[in-house]
Amino acid sequence: MKTFKYTLLLLFISLGITSCSSDDSSSDDPQDGIPLDFRQELNVSYGNDSDQVFDVYLPEGRTLDTKVLILVHGGGWTSGDKSEMNPLKDLIRQGLSDLAIVNINYRLADENNSPYPMQIDDITTIINLLKNNQNDYVISDDIGFLGTSAGAHLSMLWSYAFDTESHVKMVASIVGPTNFTDPAYLESEDLLLLETLETFGIDTTTAYLEEISPYHQVTASSPPTILFNGGEDPLIPISQGVDMEAKLMSLGVTHQFTLYPNAGHGWVGIELLDTWTKLKAFTETHLE
C-alpha cells in the first residue's frame, strides 16, 4: 500500500506550492491579545520505540479553538513513514491554514507484533498527549483524521470505535480498507489480498475480523466521513468503498464517496486534483 505517497508528491508539484515549513519552533504565550507565532516540533517522542514519534505544526494566530488534523501514513501496517505525508502536510498548511497538523508515526507490525491493537494504542497515546498539552500548544481538543491506505483504516477504526469522548469531527479515507469479512477478501485466491489478511494473523475469527473492521464498528453517531477509492485497485476491492458508503447511508452518517473507476491504489492528474478539491471543502465544512 505504498503507491499513494508518489501521487501526493505529484499533486504537490502540480499545484505549484512550495514548502513554507520552518525550523523556527518559537512560540509566544497567549497574552494581551498578541497573536501567537507559527510553531513546529519535529519527532516528538510519545513512547520508548523509535517509531513512536510525531511532528506537530501549529499555525500562527491560533487559539484554544484551533482544530487539529492528524495525518496517518500507509504502508500495509508493516512499513511506511510520516515523511511520506509531508507533501500533503505542506498542501494543508497552504490551503487549510487555520488548522494545526499532527503527522504521526506508529509502531510497525512484524511477525512478532500484530498491528492491532498496537497501532490503535499508539494513536490513543498521541491523542492523550495532545489533550494533556492543549494549553501549551494552544489548540482545541476537536480533531480530524486524514489517512491513506492502512493509515486510512486506522483512522476510521479509531474514530468509530475508540473515540469515547466524541472529539473526532471528521475522518477522511483515501484507499483505506474497511471490511475484512468481505468475501472479496475471505474467498479470494489473490495473493495480495490474502497477504493483507495475514498481516493480522492467519487464524483470525469472524468476531476478530469484525472488531478490526471500520464497517462493523461504525454507528449512527460516528463522525462525518469522506471516502476515495479506485475501481482498479489491486489491494482494496471495489466492494470496500461501495459497501462502506451504503453502511454510512443506512446509519444516517454524513458522508461523501468518490470512486474513480479506472484508478488503482492511487491516482494522478485531474482525479487527484478532484480529490484535493473535495477533501478541502469537506474539511472546511466539518473541522475548521
Side-chain angles (χ1 to χ4, degrees):
M1 299 188 180
K2 303 175 183 178
T3 305
F4 204 82
K5 65 181 179 180
Y6 302 110
T7 63
L8 289 177
L9 180 59
L10 286 171
L11 173 60
F12 181 66
I13 294 171
S14 69
L15 293 180
I17 296 174
T18 56
S19 171
C20 63
S21 61
S22 166
D23 291 332
D24 179 12
S25 61
S26 65
S27 176
D28 298 323
D29 291 330
Q31 56 181 335
D32 300 326
I34 299 175
L36 292 172
D37 293 335
F38 168 73
R39 173 184 172 189
Q40 72 175 20
E41 295 183 6
L42 305 180
N43 293 314
V44 178
S45 176
Y46 65 91
N48 296 324
D49 193 283
S50 61
D51 285 327
Q52 291 177 302
V53 294
F54 64 81
D55 302 333
V56 60
Y57 304 88
L58 305 170
E60 63 180 346
R62 66 193 174 278
T63 70
L64 289 173
D65 291 325
T66 295
K67 312 299 192 299
V68 181
L69 184 59
I70 299 174
L71 308 183
V72 190
H73 71 79
W77 304 277
T78 62
S79 65
D81 184 83
K82 58 185 169 62
S83 62
E84 297 165 11
M85 303 293 278
N86 279 340
L88 183 54
K89 174 264 298 182
D90 288 322
L91 189 60
I92 294 166
R93 283 197 57 208
Q94 291 285 334
L96 297 164
S97 59
D98 291 335
L99 293 178
I101 302 169
V102 178
N103 189 11
I104 74 170
N105 270 356
Y106 46 86
R107 287 172 292 174
L108 300 175
D110 56 32
E111 60 184 7
N112 298 315
N113 297 281
S114 174
Y116 180 83
M118 177 177 69
Q119 293 166 355
I120 288 293
D121 290 342
D122 280 355
I123 292 174
T124 299
T125 300
I126 291 168
I127 290 173
N128 287 338
L129 187 152
L130 293 174
K131 289 171 62 176
N132 291 337
N133 288 276
Q134 182 178 357
N135 289 328
D136 175 47
Y137 286 149
V138 191
I139 53 174
S140 169
D141 54 13
D142 289 341
I143 62 176
F145 277 98
L146 169 54
T148 61
S149 197
H153 162 261
L154 295 172
S155 297
M156 288 184 287
L157 185 60
W158 199 94
S159 298
Y160 298 161
F162 295 90
D163 180 23
T164 58
E165 298 181 359
S166 299
H167 289 310
V168 180
K169 303 307 175 186
M170 62 150 284
V171 56
S173 165
I174 302 177
V175 296
T178 62
N179 181 14
F180 295 118
T181 66
D182 186 343
Y185 277 123
L186 295 180
E187 299 175 8
S188 176
E189 296 182 357
D190 186 302
L191 293 180
L192 286 174
L193 298 184
L194 292 174
E195 183 180 348
T196 297
L197 283 183
E198 290 175 0
T199 302
F200 290 91
I202 58 175
D203 295 322
T204 51
T205 64
T206 298
Y208 178 79
L209 293 175
E210 290 180 351
E211 184 177 345
I212 63 174
S213 294
Y215 177 89
H216 292 286
Q217 297 302 320
V218 67
T219 68
S221 60
S222 291
T225 301
I226 185 168
L227 309 164
F228 300 92
N229 288 89
E232 300 294 332
D233 193 330
L235 297 171
I236 310 298
I238 192 171
S239 53
Q240 294 285 290
V242 172
D243 292 351
M244 191 70 200
E245 182 197 23
K247 184 70 171 288
L248 292 167
M249 185 177 296
S250 71
L251 291 170
V253 175
T254 299
H255 69 281
Q256 290 183 22
F257 172 57
T258 300
L259 177 67
Y260 302 111
N262 299 316
H265 199 63
W267 39 86
V268 296
I270 190 68
E271 292 167 330
L272 195 54
L273 293 175
D274 179 72
T275 298
W276 170 243
T277 300
K278 291 175 178 176
L279 179 60
K280 182 175 182 290
F282 195 86
T283 305
E284 287 172 336
T285 298
H286 298 290
L287 191 59
E288 277 202 321

